[in-house]
Each structure stands twice: as C-alpha cells, then as structure tokens.
Amino acid sequence: MNSVLMQIGDLAEAGEKMIERLRRKAFLPDSRKALNVRFGIAEAAHLLGCSTNRIRMAEDDGRLPPAPIENGRRLGYTMENLLTMRDVLDASPRRAPLDQAQIIAVQNFKGGVGKSTVTTHLAHYFAIQGYRVLVVDCDSQATTTTLFGFNPHFNITREETLYPYLSIDPTQTDLLYAVKKTPWPNVDLIPSNLELFDVEYELAAAGADGQAVLAARFRKLKQGLIDLSRHYDIVILDPPPALGTISLAVMQAANALLVPMAATTPDFCSTVQFLSMMDQVINQLVEAGIAVNYSFVRLICSKFDGNDPSHAMVRSIMEQTFGPALLPVPILDSAEISHAALRMMTVYELEKPIGTPKTHKRCKANLDEAMGQVEQLVRTGWGRVSPVREEELIHGA
C-alpha cells in the first residue's frame, strides 16, 4: 500500500480513537449522553409565561406532581417535568394541525462559520421553549451527530443515516427507520457518518441518467421530510458545506433558510458567493420543474466579538448590504460555547457554568435572544405573535 495512504489512515484511526475517548470521558458512567440540566421554579414560570404561584397551586391541587425535593429543598424541574407542566397548564407553543412544520436549512458553503453549533443550539433552544424538534444531519462530517452524543465512527452505521433512503438502490421507502431518540425528550435526530458521502459518488456515476436520478432524489428527500414533519413543529437540516447533491436536495426540501456567517471579510465574501450560487441553482431547479419556496431567508452573524473593531466594521458592512435580511442580534463569540463544545454539549445542556457565572449568564442570554429571532419568524409564519406572559397582562392592567 502507498506509504502516504498508510500514514493518512493511521492518523484517521488515531483521531477516531481519541474522539471515542473524549466521548466516554464526557458521558461517564455509562458512556451515553444524558440531560441533567434543571430549571428553578422562577425560570420554569418564565418559560411557561405564568406566575410561580400558578405552578405551586397546580402542585397543591394534584394537577402537577409534587416538586422534586432533596434535603428539604427543591431540586429544580427536568425537561420532562417542564413538558408535563406545559401540557397541564396549557402552555404549549406547538403548531396548530393546519400549520406547516417549519423545515429550516442551516447552510453556508464556507466552513468554520459555526453551522453545526448554530444547528444544535437552535434545536435545544426550541426544545426548551416546548416545541417538538427533529434534527437531520445531512453532512458526512457528522459534527451535529457528535454534538448529540453519538460517535459517527463507532455508534452509527450507514444503514442508520439517510443513505438507505437516498442511494441509487434504496432499501427504505420512508425516513422513520433513521429517527433516533436523544437525551432531550422532545428532540429526535437522524444521524450521519462518513459513509453518507457514498450518495454523492453514486449519483455522480449515474451517467446519462444522472439528471433524472438527481431530480428524483430531490423530490424524494422533500417528500420524506414532509411526511416525517407531521410529528414535529420544527425540522432543522444541517447540510454539507459544499455544493453537492445532498446540499442541493436539502436546499430544495427546506421551506426556510438560515445562513450563518462570521464577521470577517473572507466570510462575507464567501457568503456573497454562496448566495449568488444559490440564486443560479434555484433558477435551474425551477426551470427543471423542481419547486423551491422559502417562508423566510435570513442571515445571522455568528462568532461575533464586540471588542474586535474589525468585527464591528464587517458587521456594519453586512447591515448595509443585507438590510433586514440580516438578523439584528448576532451570536457572540463566547468561551462558554467553546468549552461546552469540548464536552460535546451546547450551553443549554450545562448543569453549571464552565467559566464565570457572569460569562455563562451573558452567553445564555445572548443565545436566547439570537435564537428567539428565529422563533419569531416561525411563529409569524404560523400567523401567531409571541405569547403574552401572565405578568405582562397583570402589569398592563
């Protein structure tokens, strides 16, 4: 065997083993990720849009189970508790039966813009707000799959990805086979691994029939996601950061587009190229009879450092260029996000701050505000505004 190939293979194997070691260290004792975050009664009341008294009254009259207590003090509510409270107190934000599930593609052809970080934080934000979420990892690099606690090399087979559904010789007729439960009770995942890239090879090798096969795959992925979305409010797609078959299929299957971009000149230029390429591709798809329709297209500035003058300058250029299509609140570049990622987590999964409590609080508040912008777009598409909180009604009266 070629010595260079052997060297690359050895490096890949060493890296895969290290990822597994990190995963096991992060998820001890049983090497499976768990969700241990808890919510105090004040935070739970805020999320439900009610008063703490209403929660206590529901616990006192038996509509809700007693609050979890240890050594005489409340432990805080789990996500399962929170979902139960939403059902009992009629505080669920779920879409109405006639509302279309929002299928959001988080896409940019430029790597390093935080695409998978945005995907996972957006999924967990929506989960905490009470929505039913499906995340579909369409990228063979499988970063999103890893952040959900699965090792793509050791835990996921090709048959558990989109491959059996999208391959030239499919063995699955719908996507239910690929849906996996995650530590979040209201977030499911369709995982990915490196072998998903075989779809690209197969379609490239389809020869003269390639265009017809490609069009069929585009329509098939869209229909499969529409069928599956009946069980969810939000579907978030994480496509590869390149213009390939799977990326194009994802772009056509989505009904909304969120484009993360870092506040640097190369990222700005790359994003402009991405938008130009998307415009050309969408026109070609439409000409081929393949419909593409988005309820919203927005850009979000990621990894923004407010103390860096160059970031402020590039963000100003973004605002002048994209106007209202650029979401006003950027995602701040925070050590808390990086530290959480090292543990294969999002900030929403941390039981306690990794850095200082002030840094954690500032980071989480920024994420809530940034992700909340996307929630508003979804709710607007459903013809709804933000739910009015109980204390706001009282104050307004």
Side-chain angles (χ1 to χ4, degrees), residues 83 86 92-94 125-132 186 233:
L83 292 173
R86 286 189 181 279
S92 174
R94 290 181 181 180
Y125 169 84
F126 272 119
I128 290 171
Q129 305 308 313
Y131 298 89
R132 300 165 299 171
N186 53 337
D233 305 300

Side-chain angles (χ1 to χ4, degrees), residues 169-182:
D169 298 310
T171 56
Q172 298 287 349
T173 57
D174 61 49
L175 289 171
L176 278 171
Y177 74 93
V179 177
K180 287 189 176 296
K181 294 295 180 185
T182 75

Side-chain angles (χ1 to χ4, degrees), residues 152-337:
H153 181 73
F154 290 99
N155 303 139
I156 305 299
T157 67
R158 185 166 72 171
E159 284 63 41
E160 295 173 287
T161 71
L162 291 172
Y163 178 84
Y165 185 75
L166 292 180
S167 67
I168 289 289
D169 298 310
T171 56
Q172 298 287 349
T173 57
D174 61 49
L175 289 171
L176 278 171
Y177 74 93
V179 177
K180 287 189 176 296
K181 294 295 180 185
T182 75
W184 292 76
N186 53 337
V187 181
D188 292 340
L189 171 74
I190 293 182
S192 178
N193 72 3
L194 192 59
E195 292 177 286
L196 179 60
F197 196 75
D198 289 349
V199 171
E200 304 278 1
Y201 284 125
E202 289 180 3
L203 292 173
D209 296 329
Q211 290 300 319
V213 172
L214 202 59
R217 288 299 169 275
F218 284 1
R219 293 188 176 96
K220 186 176 184 183
L221 180 60
K222 182 171 187 174
Q223 190 55 55
L225 289 172
I226 288 173
D227 290 344
L228 205 53
S229 69
R230 294 170 187 163
H231 308 291
Y232 302 96
D233 305 300
I234 312 289
V235 179
I236 306 176
L237 311 178
D238 184 7
L243 182 61
T245 302
I246 294 176
S247 288
L248 292 175
V250 167
M251 293 294 95
Q252 193 265 338
N255 58 29
L257 177 62
L258 182 66
V259 182
M261 56 188 295
T264 69
T265 302
D267 279 285
F268 173 79
C269 295
S270 174
T271 301
V272 171
Q273 291 297 313
F274 161 70
L275 294 169
S276 177
M277 202 177 299
M278 277 295 300
D279 181 54
Q280 295 175 36
V281 168
I282 288 173
N283 284 330
Q284 290 171 3
L285 290 172
V286 171
E287 287 174 9
I290 301 172
V292 179
N293 190 20
Y294 297 145
S295 61
F296 66 81
V297 176
R298 292 292 188 277
L299 299 97
I300 186 166
C301 182
S302 58
K303 298 184 175 182
F304 180 73
D305 184 352
N307 297 317
D308 188 331
S310 70
H311 280 216
M313 182 182 71
V314 174
R315 177 159 172 78
S316 176
I317 292 170
M318 291 178 188
E319 290 170 343
Q320 292 174 46
T321 306
F322 301 123
L326 177 70
L327 292 175
V329 180
I331 299 172
L332 300 179
D333 189 14
S334 173
E336 200 75 355
I337 294 176

Side-chain angles (χ1 to χ4, degrees), residues 344-365:
M344 299 183 188
M345 293 180 173
T346 66
V347 171
Y348 291 116
E349 294 178 292
L350 297 176
E351 297 174 62
K352 58 183 180 180
I354 297 175
T356 66
K358 184 179 179 181
T359 298
H360 178 84
K361 185 176 181 180
R362 183 171 61 243
C363 176
K364 192 166 176 292

Side-chain angles (χ1 to χ4, degrees), residues 91-106:
S92 174
R94 290 181 181 180
R95 63 186 176 89
L98 294 180
D99 290 333
Q100 186 180 36
Q102 196 75 75
I103 304 176
I104 307 170
V106 181

Side-chain angles (χ1 to χ4, degrees), residues 38 50 136 253 346 390:
R38 288 180 178 267
C50 70
V136 186
T346 66
E390 194 172 285

Side-chain angles (χ1 to χ4, degrees), residues 364-378:
K364 192 166 176 292
N366 167 248
L367 285 168
D368 284 346
E369 193 176 4
M371 301 300 146
Q373 299 171 121
V374 183
E375 182 190 11
Q376 278 301 100
L377 292 168
V378 171

